[in-house]
Amino acid sequence: MDLEVLVALPIIIPLLLGAISLTVLSNHNAQRWIGAVGTALLLFSATALLLQTKEHGIQVLEVGSWPAPFGIVLVSDMLGAIMVMLASTLGFITALYSLKTIRKRFERFGYYPLLHLLLAGVNGAFLTGDIFNLYVWFEVLLVASFALLILGGERAQMEGAIKYVTLNLLSSALFLTAIGLTYGLVGTLNMADIAVKLGSVDDQKMVTVIGSLFLIAFAIKAAAFPLFFWLPASYHTPQVAVSAIFAGLLTKVGVYALYRVFTLIFTADTGFTHEVLLWMAVFTMLTGVLGAAAQFEIRRILSFHSISQIGYMMLGLALFTPLALIGGIFYIVHHSIVKSSLFLTSGLIYRLGGSFELKKLGGLYRKHPGLAILFFIPALSLAGVPPLSGFFAKFILIKAGAEVDSWWAIGIALLVGLLTLYSMIKIWNEAFWKATPEPTPPVPAPTRNVLIYFSIGILAFITVALGIFAQSMYEIAEIAASQLLNPAAYIEAVLGRGSQ
Amino acid sequence: MTTLMAILIGTFYAAAIYMMLRRSVVKLVIGLILLSNAANLLIFTVAGLERGTPPLIPKGQDVIVGAAADPLAQAVILTSIVIGFGVLAFAVVLIHRACEVVQTDDMNEMKGTD
């Protein structure tokens, strides 16, 4: 079937565009056009893949026609397709936002090629069905993110980058170690094949050890407690567009990897692994939100909230019931959209108010009511106020927790929701509500911000739409969750073809 | 031989973690180098150590006869060496630039963003 190529397109398009973009590095207009039109193209192909996966089930592409489990396979199940769709949406919005905010100096250093490469790496990680290939895509997106992170070369960026680079490389080394041990145990790298063969391994304790190594490696990437320290040290330092796509996407890649590995491969000893996940989830929620309460710089508040929200997504995986997984997937989608939106808004606050520091800001509601609304919608959505997407995401998770009598986890989740609301109201009061403090920070030269308003507006619209049409999103997440809970279908789709 | 390799790999991991915990950023990068080498050696060892038996199919046969070195593990190691080299090249440039900008190589001085 020729439609199988759809699975590869979300990787090929950004790789190709990045290469083309690199050849016209000095032509700023060409770079911007390739950035905007290219990511729109990517969005288009991701939509096609999502529809195809929804209609016809799990899509598999054997790269180079090498049959699984010997060759590398690209697999698009519902979760993968949703994540690719999310990545492409955020890529498109970020590219639009970048058109007006990324300086020519950074464009000359290769901002757009790096952005394309980042998207290729992220999409590759979401679509691959081979565990070593997953490692390779992780490295692709990491290298791109390293370079994006230090674009600008300021002191804070350097300090943040050293921590970011070190901990992510440590995580990669652990990941590679875990892959090596898995290979030693079962002699295959295909994830479906590993899932089949791990069941018949005698030494089940070793399987749990390897599972724990994967857990630590991916938890570092996802910024879960107690391995999150690189995130608040680095996420507020780069260009705002970069922060937005990092916060929206990169930690989600870690969460996705956890979802994939702990539903497909390591499901034998859920009593241990998912119990650990539950504790990690609860402490991630708590530490993140408490860290945010102490901050007075908008981007740092948002970074800490990223951590706490990762806890909710892990909670969905840890409870490991159909409803909990639906809630977790819903939460991933909701949070990516909302957090990117808030980071982009913080950039606009800086452009219009002259600072990221809450103490120095004020009176923005009076001066820029449009901006206030664009902040208000995603902020309330993050806190979980109905009818926005955050409410339904939290509601599903908490209902799932109640079904399995995990009362204290629910209690913490609700408390964290309340504290999130506190943080958002803090930003609202300080930046928008209170009178402008003296002396006012110097505002950068006024520019036309239509495109910026437009790109943030799309994200705000999506969070409202996800709330109003929550039923449709729920149905898609339900398909994804049922596929995750029945790995047999995934295995059949990948390996069953060899026997035909 | 495998036991010897296991001890060597363990030493590599320990040395890598020790170096990463030092305050100097240069030692940090040395730690990262050791760590990626440790992982590569680990894959090499767990895939089975076979001496002098290349994975070649004899003439007239369809499959390899008897034990042979595992080519997949070597391909994996080769890939991860290349990736590790690229990433470490970046890390070296990064610490060079960071030392210029921050004017120190002491990790304890680099806490402006914490």
Side-chain angles (χ1 to χ4, degrees), chain A residues 132 135-136 139 143 146-147 150 153-163 165-166 169-170 173-174 176-181 183-184 187-189 229 232-234 236-237 300, chain B residues 13 17 20 25 28 32 35-36 39-40 42-43 46-47 70 72-73 75-77 79-80 83-84 87-88 90-91 94-95 97-98 101-104 107 109-114:
Chain A
F132 185 71
Y135 167 79
V136 174
E139 297 300 299
V143 168
F146 292 164
I150 56 166
E154 284 167 25
R155 185 188 162 118
Q157 285 180 301
M158 290 299 163
E159 292 185 5
I162 285 188
K163 290 155 198 168
V165 168
T166 307
L169 289 186
L170 177 69
L174 288 176
L176 193 59
T177 308
I179 292 173
L181 291 175
Y183 184 71
T188 177
L189 292 171
F229 298 99
S234 60
H236 63 286
T237 58
R300 301 198 69 163
Chain B
Y13 272 103
I17 299 296
M20 289 177 75
V25 282
L28 175 77
L32 287 175
L35 196 62
S36 72
N40 290 338
L42 179 115
I43 299 173
V46 294
D70 186 345
L72 182 66
V76 163
I77 296 168
T79 314
S80 69
I83 291 174
V87 173
L88 284 171
F90 177 87
L94 174 72
I95 62 159
R97 190 80 193 108
V101 174
V102 189
Q103 298 283 328
T104 173
M107 285 301 286
E109 304 290 316
M110 297 192 185
K111 47 191 176 189
T113 61
D114 284 339

Side-chain angles (χ1 to χ4, degrees), chain A residues 80-371:
Chain A
I82 291 173
M83 298 304 289
V84 167
M85 182 73 199
L86 203 55
S88 309
T89 311
L90 292 183
F92 177 60
I93 300 289
T94 310
L96 279 190
Y97 189 90
S98 306
L99 294 180
K100 284 284 169 200
T101 56
I102 297 297
R103 285 188 219 123
K104 284 197 167 163
R105 190 158 65 88
F106 300 145
E107 287 180 354
R108 258 198 306 282
F109 277 127
Y111 172 79
Y112 285 106
L114 287 169
L115 185 64
H116 289 302
L117 189 64
L118 182 77
L119 288 173
V122 169
N123 283 342
F126 291 152
L127 289 176
T128 185
D130 183 284
I131 194 91
F132 185 71
N133 199 229
L134 180 64
Y135 167 79
V136 174
W137 288 120
F138 263 116
E139 297 300 299
V140 170
L141 74 89
L142 271 187
V143 168
S145 73
F146 292 164
L148 283 172
L149 187 67
I150 56 166
L151 215 57
E154 284 167 25
R155 185 188 162 118
Q157 285 180 301
M158 290 299 163
E159 292 185 5
I162 285 188
K163 290 155 198 168
Y164 179 86
V165 168
T166 307
L167 283 169
N168 273 294
L169 289 186
L170 177 69
S171 144
S172 293
L174 288 176
F175 184 16
L176 193 59
T177 308
I179 292 173
L181 291 175
T182 313
Y183 184 71
L185 214 53
V186 293
T188 177
L189 292 171
N190 182 296
M191 287 201 263
D193 205 25
I194 294 174
V196 173
K197 290 190 175 149
L198 270 186
S200 54
V201 168
D202 296 329
D203 192 359
Q204 283 297 323
K205 289 210 173 69
M206 189 63 191
V207 175
T208 308
V209 169
I210 294 172
S212 310
L213 264 179
F214 276 114
L215 177 63
I216 296 170
F218 294 144
I220 294 178
K221 306 253 185 223
F225 177 88
L227 311 158
F228 60 78
F229 298 99
W230 57 271
L231 192 148
S234 60
Y235 264 30
H236 63 286
T237 58
Q239 305 297 311
V240 169
V242 175
S243 286
I245 198 151
F246 277 20
L249 271 187
L250 291 199
T251 47
K252 307 299 177 303
V253 182
V255 175
Y256 164 83
L258 283 174
Y259 267 68
R260 176 63 75 220
V261 166
F262 285 97
T263 57
L264 178 65
I265 301 177
F266 297 103
T267 49
D269 194 6
T270 47
F272 173 72
T273 49
H274 291 247
E275 183 73 21
V276 174
L277 272 170
L278 187 62
W279 282 99
M280 284 173 94
V282 167
F283 280 107
T284 308
M285 286 193 274
L286 260 183
T287 45
V289 85
L290 292 178
Q295 301 294 329
F296 278 92
E297 209 261 36
I298 297 178
R299 291 175 302 173
R300 301 198 69 163
I301 297 177
L302 294 177
S303 301
F304 272 105
H305 275 295
S306 280
I307 299 169
S308 105
Q309 309 289 321
I310 290 293
Y312 284 98
M313 298 164 211
M314 289 176 71
L315 182 65
L317 177 62
L319 295 173
F320 206 51
T321 63
L323 195 62
L325 283 176
I326 294 171
I329 293 163
F330 203 121
Y331 213 103
I332 292 174
V333 175
H334 144 74
H335 179 252
S336 294
I337 299 287
V338 166
K339 187 46 61 75
S340 292
S341 171
L342 284 171
F343 262 106
L344 294 180
T345 314
S346 80
L348 194 53
I349 290 177
Y350 180 75
R351 284 170 87 85
L352 298 172
S355 177
F356 287 111
E357 295 288 340
L358 287 180
K359 303 271 187 213
K360 295 180 185 162
L361 287 166
L364 282 175
Y365 178 70
R366 196 175 289 270
K367 275 183 274 181
H368 305 284
L371 171 67

